[in-house]
Amino acid sequence: MSLRNRHIRKISSFLSHFPTGYHHQPSRRLLNSVASSSTHLFQQCSGINTRFSERFSVSFRHSTISQQSRFSPSETHLLSFIKSAFDQLQGPNHFWLNRVDESKDFLKDGTILVVAGRFFEKTGRHPGVIFEKVKLLQQRFPSIKVIGFQDRSSVCSADDQSQLIQLTMEEYITFPVLLSNKNFSKLTDEACFILSKDFKNPLVFTEKDLDIAMLNKAFEELSLQCQVNNTAVHNLKSSWSKEAEIIKEPQFCTALQNLLLYFPACISADESGKRLFLSDSNHHRIIIFDGNGKILDCIGSCPGFEDGEFESAKLLRPAASFYHDTDDCLYIVDSENHAIRRADLERRVLETVYPTSSSHKRSTSLWTWIRTKLGFASDADVKFEEQDSRALTCPWHLIKSENNTFLITSRSFENLWVMDLASGVIKEAVKGLPNTLEFCRHFILEKVSLLKMMPDYLLQQQSDANLSREELPYAGLISCVATFENHIIMCDTVGQGVLKLNRESGISSNFQFYNLGMLGLPYWLSFPLESFYAVAAGLSVGQTDHIQQFSLLPGRVDIRLSIYIPKDTEFVEPLHESCIWCQARGAATELSVVESVAGSSEKVGVAQQWYDELDNLAFETPESEQLIEDDNATTDTKSQDERIHIDSVVNTSPGTSEVIIYAALYLKLRRNRAVQDDNNQEQFAARIANILNPKGNERFGGDSCTKLLLKSNRDLRDLIFIKPLHVRIKFNSPNHPKADNSKDIILTDSSINVDVSLN
């Protein structure tokens, strides 16, 4: 008994050191010091230890100190400042990045995680490590609301904003970030996580000593205390749970999305087949091209997680890849889906290797497919590794090792997984930079030797942009370099291009891509059909380039769009029909060659489909004449006199109707050969920034975008970008005119010309 009393007094001596409030980490360190002092002590006092842990492991709600003194002024002041700053996107002391207008309800009824630090400075913790932890929490708890915060920033500085743009592209930051010129150095000198419910009762964790499992438990207990049903872990590792509506993308630099390549991060090669595989990461696709820059194919349609044919399959920020010559397939790291995918290049089908799912082995009936697409698959349908510490988290690099295995590492090299190639099973997981280097150091050195053949200025530029770790110079670039024939191929994430270096001559150049029609209409320009019909009267016109209304008699209408592009630009190649999307709604039917090739000769507006069917029954056209009409009904593109023409044909019925046309115009700056000193890169960068963001729709100024483009050493006149086209043509058609006998109706043919200027 006397021994137990001495032990209790020893524990009591620590209690005076526990801080009040919710500073979880210091209390855990003191608890660990007690645990390490004497194993025998806790064997005899297990009951005391159990009660002690239950009381002090996460929160201090049993503290006898008054409620008002629980929180330190630094954290409460910071949370109050963030909450007050939400009313305005920009103020005298703050500037919001990556935030949309619709986020006013962001603060209502939710658990909020504030990530505070200085993310793009060279000092302190590598930002990739911080964001990997944030993404892990977002993966497990989709309901958590994350806010980034950086103090002592020049809120209106183009330099700071351009650095944030680069960091956003690199780390794929989807949560809002607040820049402030105020000083919160007590919290932000070292990155920290602040977890709270509606900015109240904060728990503070330093990033350096953070244990993810500890933060998980804190989040679960905080949600339980606030009676929020967030205890279920949602790993989002299958296509049924990753609906398109919840896919978030960075909102801060959407104008840069209209570059041909948007953070081309990784590349691999098939030398025998003379193919290169480029991960156009932030466009969520793999581009297959040859040594001359001709685009051969494309894998991935839009962000998401879905297997299938290349045109419909979905990826979410693909990273490293590896071509398997024997099977003629490409293994892809699907980083934001925390998965490994395999593309069968012969069948043109994408499938998932990891995580394994029982849904792949289940019935392939139509009902099963419908339930899966609608998100009604049961938990039993998909087998997650929810509690498996070996589960992939933010994978990036992919290395083929011996014994038919893959070495998969995170971008920060803090985590490594050994995966069996045949079964897709994770055999081993390694944590910590020193440990991961034991597995892959010689692979890294092999790639670094290739990188060092590139020009020094270029290598340093890419290394700075990718925030390479001091312990591993250039290691972050190992997946963006490959050998191909007599060249070294390297991704340029600064200039948004792909470089090739001739080993013999030492001359480097940029790939000039062509056959762009293989890429089709970009997903961010396309209009989902279900959303299209849900938009009443076509009210979504915020980004429309041209709207025009006509009053015409019902019948056939030939439409010619004449598009004037900016005078100082030129087309990279003629516009391809695959880069055009046309849809008629209301009392109109669109006839198109593109649709007839796909197997359907016409698309009918839903609201008027029954009316057109009645017309067809009452006034049936002879089959021979109908064939001639369908053959002449085309959507054609022609170019002349610095204009491009898009021709289309619609049939209108009495009532109102609308034709909506989207197109992706691939342009680049025109070279002025008449001017000898035509190499003003700053002027070129400013012009491209203005074309990408003509009306200042972005939250950042044109100067920040210009500075970002100027970081590249490439000739900006070779930079290919997309000029989106969005045209709406509205028709108001009266009733059919009657014939002399008052029984028959008269069908009329009309033609209209629509001029659209994109200057």
Side-chain angles (χ1 to χ4, degrees):
M1 180 64 70
S2 61
L3 177 61
R4 291 174 63 88
N5 289 336
R6 284 200 306 272
H7 290 164
I8 292 174
R9 284 196 299 273
K10 184 173 181 179
I11 295 175
S12 301
S13 66
F14 284 91
L15 296 181
S16 60
H17 298 287
F18 280 105
T20 61
Y22 290 83
H23 289 269
H24 178 275
Q25 186 63 33
S27 63
R28 177 57 64 106
R29 285 200 296 267
L30 289 172
L31 180 58
N32 289 341
S33 66
V34 175
S36 60
S37 62
S38 174
T39 304
H40 181 65
L41 168 67
F42 279 90
Q43 289 176 348
Q44 297 189 44
C45 304
S46 58
I48 298 175
N49 179 52
T50 300
R51 291 189 297 273
F52 178 80
S53 298
E54 290 176 352
R55 185 175 180 181
F56 294 102
S57 61
V58 173
S59 63
F60 292 90
R61 295 196 176 274
H62 300 284
S63 173
T64 58
I65 306 299
S66 63
Q67 178 74 19
Q68 287 77 11
S69 63
R70 284 186 179 184
F71 315 118
S72 66
S74 297
E75 64 208 43
T76 54
H77 185 201
L78 173 59
L79 294 181
S80 299
F81 174 73
I82 294 176
K83 187 174 182 179
S84 64
F86 242 88
D87 295 334
Q88 293 181 326
L89 288 172
Q90 184 174 357
N93 302 115
H94 76 275
F95 186 90
W96 281 102
L97 307 175
N98 225 23
R99 201 197 121 183
V100 294
D101 295 334
E102 292 76 10
S103 58
K104 294 180 180 178
D105 296 334
F106 187 85
L107 305 180
K108 294 182 179 179
D109 300 328
T111 302
I112 298 171
L113 178 68
V114 176
V115 184
R118 296 187 180 92
F119 305 121
F120 54 73
E121 295 181 1
K122 295 293 183 181
T123 58
R125 190 77 154 170
H126 185 270
V129 180
I130 300 173
F131 292 120
E132 283 175 9
K133 292 181 178 180
V134 173
K135 290 177 180 180
L136 174 60
L137 291 171
Q138 288 180 308
Q139 174 198 2
R140 295 189 175 181
F141 303 102
S143 62
I144 195 170
K145 300 175 180 179
V146 181
I147 299 174
F149 177 79
Q150 175 153 323
D151 68 345
R152 291 189 283 183
S153 299
S154 301
V155 295
C156 296
S157 167
D159 290 329
D160 278 5
Q161 291 185 22
S162 64
Q163 291 187 68
L164 256 296
I165 295 173
Q166 186 69 42
L167 183 64
T168 301
M169 290 193 300
E170 178 191 351
E171 298 296 340
Y172 201 70
I173 301 173
T174 59
F175 51 83
V177 178
L178 178 62
L179 292 180
S180 173
N181 54 18
K182 288 192 173 185
N183 188 348
F184 293 90
S185 57
K186 290 184 179 180
L187 285 172
T188 58
D189 280 342
E190 184 178 358
C192 66
F193 295 79
I194 305 174
L195 187 65
S196 66
K197 167 67 177 177
D198 299 329
F199 291 107
K200 300 175 183 178
N201 302 340
L203 293 159
V204 181
F205 304 84
T206 60
E207 189 279 329
K208 185 177 180 181
D209 301 321
L210 176 67
D211 181 9
I212 288 294
M214 182 169 50
L215 190 56
N216 283 346
K217 183 168 180 62
F219 176 79
E220 289 177 347
E221 295 199 8
L222 182 62
S223 300
L224 182 63
Q225 292 165 0
C226 299
Q227 297 180 350
V228 178
N229 187 22
N230 287 325
T231 55
V233 176
H234 191 175
N235 276 342
L236 291 181
K237 287 184 179 176
S238 77
S239 56
W240 70 266
S241 60
K242 208 170 206 40
E243 302 174 12
E245 289 77 10
I246 64 173
I247 301 296
K248 293 183 179 180
E249 294 191 86
Q251 298 295 322
F252 176 42
C253 46
T254 53
L256 298 176
Q257 196 174 40
N258 286 326
L259 296 174
L260 174 62
L261 302 177
Y262 186 32
F263 200 75
C266 303
I267 197 163
S268 61
D270 167 25
E271 294 210 44
S272 61
K274 297 183 179 181
R275 295 176 294 184
L276 289 159
F277 307 97
L278 174 66
S279 296
D280 189 7
S281 297
N282 289 0
H283 280 157
H284 315 287
R285 63 189 180 189
I286 302 291
I287 297 177
I288 306 174
F289 62 101
D290 65 14
N292 296 319
K294 180 181 180 181
I295 297 178
L296 306 174
D297 208 342
C298 183
I299 306 173
S301 59
C302 62
F305 193 178
E306 185 173 321
D307 293 341
E309 296 181 353
F310 287 176
E311 293 83 1
S312 60
K314 298 178 182 179
L315 297 160
L316 191 57
R317 208 172 186 237
S321 61
F322 174 81
Y323 176 71
H324 196 285
D325 191 19
T326 305
D327 298 336
D328 190 25
C329 62
L330 185 72
Y331 288 87
I332 305 166
V333 174
D334 197 352
S335 64
E336 295 294 320
N337 281 325
H338 315 283
I340 303 297
R341 317 290 289 277
R342 178 172 54 213
D344 188 318
L345 299 176
E346 183 178 356
R347 296 189 299 128
R348 300 186 71 256
V349 171
L350 182 70
E351 55 190 2
T352 300
V353 177
Y354 175 92
T356 56
S357 170
S358 61
S359 63
H360 295 292
K361 302 176 182 178
R362 298 177 72 251
S363 171
T364 57
S365 66
L366 177 62
W367 178 241
T368 301
W369 181 85
I370 293 174
R371 291 180 65 248
T372 300
K373 291 297 180 184
L374 294 178
F376 294 131
S378 63
D379 293 338
D381 293 340
V382 181
K383 296 181 179 179
F384 296 140
E385 292 84 355
E386 291 187 356
Q387 306 298 333
D388 191 351
S389 60
R390 294 179 296 177
L392 290 183
T393 304
C394 301
W396 190 264
H397 301 291
L398 182 66
I399 302 170
K400 178 66 167 61
S401 182
E402 300 175 353
N403 302 323
N404 207 31
T405 58
F406 276 138
L407 300 181
I408 307 165
T409 74
S410 60
R411 200 158 183 221
S412 64
F413 291 96
E414 290 286 338
N415 297 285
L416 179 144
W417 301 268
V418 181
M419 190 187 82
D420 181 71
L421 182 60
S423 63
V425 175
I426 302 296
K427 300 168 61 176
E428 185 178 359
V430 180
K431 297 184 181 295
L433 182 61
N435 298 326
T436 60
L437 288 181
E438 292 182 7
F439 279 82
C440 58
R441 182 183 296 275
H442 64 286
F443 295 106
I444 294 176
L445 294 177
E446 181 181 342
K447 287 283 190 175
V448 169
S449 65
L450 290 176
L451 289 166
K452 289 184 176 179
M453 295 181 186
M454 303 297 289
D456 292 338
Y457 74 89
L458 181 62
L459 186 59
Q460 188 60 45
Q461 181 188 68
Q462 300 300 319
S463 180
D464 292 343
N466 287 273
L467 296 174
S468 295
R469 306 189 63 162
E470 295 180 359
E471 307 94 324
L472 295 169
Y474 313 131
L477 305 175
I478 63 171
S479 294
C480 73
V481 65
T483 58
F484 184 75
E485 296 176 342
N486 196 34
H487 294 84
I488 297 176
I489 312 298
M490 181 178 178
C491 297
D492 181 6
T493 57
V494 178
Q496 310 305 318
V498 182
L499 299 162
K500 58 180 176 181
L501 174 72
N502 189 300
R503 294 191 184 187
E504 295 180 355
S505 64
I507 299 175
S508 61
S509 59
N510 284 277
F511 273 96
Q512 301 299 318
F513 292 100
Y514 63 100
N515 196 29
L516 304 177
M518 291 298 300
L519 302 178
L521 188 71
Y523 71 88
W524 62 93
L525 300 183
S526 61
F527 207 89
L529 204 57
E530 60 274 15
S531 302
F532 171 78
Y533 285 112
V535 177
L539 297 178
S540 177
V541 295
Q543 301 297 324
T544 305
D545 297 295
H546 187 86
I547 301 177
Q548 194 165 347
Q549 186 166 348
F550 295 90
S551 295
L552 299 173
L553 291 173
R556 176 189 175 104
V557 181
D558 293 283
I559 304 172
R560 162 160 283 203
L561 287 185
S562 297
I563 304 161
Y564 296 81
I565 63 175
K567 293 181 179 179
D568 51 356
T569 64
E570 62 184 4
F571 284 99
V572 177
E573 61 186 28
L575 180 61
H576 196 274
E577 287 182 344
S578 64
C579 299
I580 304 172
W581 187 90
C582 182
Q583 180 67 48
R585 66 190 305 268
T589 300
E590 183 236 340
L591 304 175
S592 172
V593 163
V594 178
E595 297 302 322
S596 65
V597 171
S600 174
S601 60
E602 59 180 42
K603 295 187 292 184
V604 182
V606 171
Q608 203 67 24
Q609 184 177 5
W610 63 272
Y611 192 95
D612 295 329
E613 290 176 353
L614 290 177
D615 275 353
N616 292 335
L617 290 174
F619 309 100
E620 189 172 344
T621 304
E623 183 177 357
S624 59
E625 296 181 15
Q626 183 67 43
L627 289 175
I628 295 174
E629 180 179 343
D630 287 347
D631 289 339
N632 294 329
T634 65
T635 295
D636 194 12
T637 61
K638 301 176 182 178
S639 178
Q640 65 182 37
D641 301 332
E642 300 181 357
R643 296 181 298 173
I644 190 168
H645 302 291
I646 300 178
D647 296 333
S648 184
V649 179
V650 297
N651 287 333
T652 61
S653 299
T656 59
S657 58
E658 185 178 32
V659 175
I660 301 177
I661 299 174
Y662 282 88
L665 311 180
Y666 289 94
L667 308 176
K668 64 180 179 180
L669 294 182
R670 184 188 300 274
R671 292 179 179 269
N672 189 354
R673 296 178 175 83
V675 180
Q676 293 181 355
D677 187 19
D678 183 31
N679 194 25
N680 190 334
Q681 294 296 310
E682 187 171 352
Q683 181 180 349
F684 299 155
R687 181 58 181 140
I688 293 174
N690 180 260
I691 294 174
L692 294 177
N693 185 31
K695 299 180 181 179
N697 297 319
E698 294 291 340
R699 302 303 180 198
F700 61 91
D703 290 342
S704 56
C705 186
T706 300
K707 286 184 176 295
L708 183 69
L709 294 173
L710 286 173
K711 290 181 179 180
S712 169
N713 290 306
R714 68 181 298 182
D715 189 337
L716 293 177
R717 290 170 296 183
D718 295 330
L719 183 65
I720 300 175
F721 52 89
I722 299 172
K723 182 62 179 175
L725 174 69
H726 179 192
V727 176
R728 289 175 178 254
I729 305 171
K730 299 184 178 183
F731 297 101
N732 186 9
S733 301
N735 291 328
H736 290 281
K738 297 290 184 178
D740 294 337
N741 58 13
S742 300
K743 295 182 179 179
D744 298 331
I745 64 173
I746 300 175
L747 296 176
T748 61
D749 291 345
S750 307
S751 62
I752 59 173
N753 294 316
V754 180
D755 293 332
V756 180
S757 176
L758 300 178
N759 288 307

